[in-house]
Amino acid sequence: MAFSADELRVLRRALAIALHPMPLPDEDVQDCLRLAGAVDEAVGEAGRLRTFLLADLVRYRNALPGSVSGYLELLQDALAGGYDPGPDDLAALRALRHRPLAAALLERCQVLAERSVQARLAGRAVSVKAPAPRSRLLALPGGRAAEAEPERPKAPAEPARPGRVPGRPAPKPSEVFPPRRRPVPPPPQQRAAG
């Protein structure tokens, strides 16, 4: 992730304020919120790009052996991004191990897969498939959150009525007076044949 000179200035100022809290002018608060929004957008875009890359990797793997060169390139990119190779990747690489690049990737993927299994067995959660969600920047010390919000007037309480539960809405007429039922005609008598 790269920051522009203006974004770095805002980031440096926000870090200084985090270390030494002081009141912030509205302009600085807005700059920090814009920077937080830009970072959130970049993280979201990176997640979408990663999802697309992994879906592309699956498509190329399913099209093997015709897509060998594309699959190997995509797998290298995914591994560089922290992808944890699965059993399908290992099986595909074993089938392609006659190629030097596939053989080298197979060795690398086997090491990564063994580390992943050992980490799971040791009880550590190793998940590099999805980026960890980042909480949003909601308030800065000394910023707008420091200003007291005016109290809103509360709604007046309803006067108590006899036989009514406070806080419960008035019953509907259909709840109080059930619908009338029509009388059922008597069953036709069977005639005895002669």
Side-chain angles (χ1 to χ4, degrees), residues 2 4 17 22-23 36 42 53 60-61 64 81 90 119 126 138 141 159 172 175 183 186-187 189 192:
S4 69
I17 290 167
M22 65 176 143
L53 174 70
Y60 273 79
R61 184 176 58 226
L64 286 173
L90 295 173
V126 176
L138 298 176
K172 297 178 187 175
E175 294 173 346
Q189 296 178 355

Side-chain angles (χ1 to χ4, degrees), residues 60-118:
Y60 273 79
R61 184 176 58 226
N62 291 338
L64 286 173
S67 61
V68 173
S69 60
Y71 172 70
L72 296 177
E73 287 178 29
L74 284 172
L75 183 60
Q76 282 180 318
D77 292 344
L79 291 173
Y83 174 68
D84 194 13
D88 294 337
D89 294 308
L90 295 173
L93 289 172
R94 284 187 190 107
L96 300 171
R97 68 177 141 212
H98 61 278
R99 294 176 172 256
L101 180 58
L105 281 174
L106 176 61
E107 289 178 25
R108 182 177 173 192
C109 287
Q110 285 176 331
V111 170
L112 291 173
E114 287 175 17
R115 284 184 193 160
S116 176
V117 168
Q118 289 172 356

Side-chain angles (χ1 to χ4, degrees), residues 3-21:
F3 291 103
S4 69
D6 188 44
E7 289 172 333
L8 283 175
R9 178 186 56 78
V10 172
L11 184 61
R12 188 176 304 125
R13 202 168 56 227
L15 290 173
I17 290 167
L19 293 173
H20 305 287

